[in-house]
Amino acid sequence: MFEVEDLNVHFGGIHALKGISLRVDEGEIVTLVGANGAGKTTTLRTASGLKKPTSGRITLDGKDITKLSAQDRVKRGLCQVPEGRRVFPAMSVSENLDLGAYLRRDRAGVAADLTNVFERFPVLGERRRQLAGTLSGGEQQMLAMGRALMSRPKVLLLDEPSMGLAPLLVQEIFSIIADINAEGTTVLLVEQNANMALQVAHRAYVMETGTMVMSGTAAELSQTDDIKKAYLGG
Ligand SMILES: Nc1ncnc2c1ncn2[C@@H]1O[C@H](COP(=O)(O)OP(=O)(O)O)[C@@H](O)[C@H]1O
Ligand SMILES: [Mg+2]
């Protein structure tokens, strides 16, 4: 469904991604875990077309999208929820959601998806006229996810959705991710919360300083001593 092959990314003299490869099959949740600075965000930003790679190949549905603009990738069904949510604080909840659909022309479909988003996130419906900047962190994460869903993605890229949230909300966000996936959206999930990520994911990749160091089923990796020590608190 979605594949990255031998991707190299530089920021000036910094070699941030050193020939990484990963694959997400249709219907999967794949998680990418690793310490701060490992290159997880850079991987997602390059996948979604916000950062140009030095070399490598990105494919979606078997088609090479490496040279496509970020917009064209969204049109083809690849959508990213950025690290730190990045909702538009001075716009209302509804306006933020409308922006998620701005590349679409199927008005009936957009209206149906808006209803679905309000069903999935009732709090967004209750606060649809409220400015996004007045929402709590958890609500802003829901808005960022709702906005992405308004593009009707086939593959959803999530960057640290649980960051900064209280434990109860973290549970809720992960359970929503599982629901979204169960209803047919393929998910690539970047997380520092490896514990939760490995519970919800089918497969996982582990990154260290720009390199993929391990991959396997989430169940396998949760039982690996190195992973337990480095990422699961023993
Ligand atoms: N805009 C940027 N300019 C320069 N260096 C960057 C930029 N973004 C990321 N980097 C560097 O790339 C590496 C990977 O960062 P990042 O992808 O944000 O890691 P992670 O998301 O895993 O914490 C780090 O060394 C970081 O300093
Ligand atoms: Mg990051």
Side-chain angles (χ1 to χ4, degrees), residues 30 47 49 72 86 91 107 121 127 145 155 184 195 204:
V30 169
D72 283 338
R86 300 296 171 99
M91 295 173 69
R107 296 183 62 174
F121 306 104
R127 310 206 161 171
M145 288 168 67
V155 179
N195 238 326

Side-chain angles (χ1 to χ4, degrees), residues 187-210:
V187 175
L188 176 57
L189 169 66
V190 159
E191 263 298 337
Q192 277 194 58
N193 189 337
N195 238 326
M196 291 296 292
L198 288 172
Q199 282 178 43
V200 76
H202 303 103
R203 287 189 304 114
Y205 291 85
V206 182
M207 258 185 119
E208 276 172 22
T209 54

Side-chain angles (χ1 to χ4, degrees), residues 41 83 159-160:
T41 294
E83 188 173 58
D159 196 351
E160 308 264 11

Side-chain angles (χ1 to χ4, degrees), residues 162-175:
S162 79
M163 199 194 327
L165 301 185
L168 216 58
L169 267 168
V170 172
Q171 293 274 1
E172 191 176 345
I173 292 289
F174 276 100
S175 117

Side-chain angles (χ1 to χ4, degrees), residues 54 86 110 201:
T54 322
R86 300 296 171 99
V110 170

